Amino acid sequence: QVQVAESGGGLVQAGGSLRLSCAASGSDFKLNDMGWYRQAPGKQRELVAIITSGGTTRYSASVKGRFTISRDNAESTMYLQMNNLKPEDTAVYYCNLRDRFGSVATQDYWGQGTQVTVSS
């Protein structure tokens, strides 16, 4: 049973920082591609950043240079360091784990989300 759980959200003023954590279980974490997504009220869920099993990272243009995604395979945990936060970063942030079963078959698992609110 694969499970992921986010933590670390909260209320922060613009320009501040937060670090989100995502703890995974039930999978061989080191083999999983992982990602952070977010969803603001009235908007669709969007990709924030991904980190592959090999450690390759990619970021959405809106967070590039401000956020850093990382992982600790020994602890089966992924992180999102969020610096210079802006009000437009306000959203529920979700952890994603992509499990692979073959050459192309995948299954995505999602956490319940953690709220990040950035005040002006």
Side-chain angles (χ1 to χ4, degrees):
Q1 184 173 321
V2 179
Q3 292 186 319
V4 294
E6 308 93 338
S7 62
L11 175 63
V12 64
Q13 61 184 324
S17 298
L18 285 173
R19 189 169 85 149
L20 307 183
S21 299
C22 171
S25 62
S27 185
D28 193 350
F29 181 79
K30 68 180 183 297
L31 301 181
N32 300 140
D33 293 345
M34 302 289 296
W36 287 100
Y37 293 73
R38 67 186 182 188
Q39 187 167 23
K43 297 184 178 180
Q44 67 181 43
R45 187 175 299 185
E46 65 173 350
L47 174 69
V48 176
I50 61 170
I51 182 165
T52 70
S53 61
T56 300
T57 59
R58 293 197 291 273
Y59 299 87
S60 69
S62 61
V63 308
K64 199 178 308 177
R66 298 187 298 120
F67 292 7
T68 302
I69 189 171
S70 62
R71 64 192 296 160
D72 184 343
N73 288 338
E75 298 296 329
S76 296
T77 303
M78 175 182 65
Y79 303 95
L80 184 68
Q81 179 66 47
M82 310 165 68
N83 296 328
N84 191 25
L85 283 161
K86 303 175 179 180
E88 51 262 44
D89 295 319
T90 296
V92 177
Y93 284 70
Y94 296 91
C95 175
N96 170 260
L97 180 155
R98 177 158 287 184
D99 204 1
R100 298 188 180 275
F101 303 99
S103 59
V104 295
T106 63
Q107 176 65 243
D108 287 328
Y109 296 88
W110 299 90
Q112 290 301 117
T114 185
Q115 175 70 230
V116 171
T117 302
V118 184
S119 63
S120 300

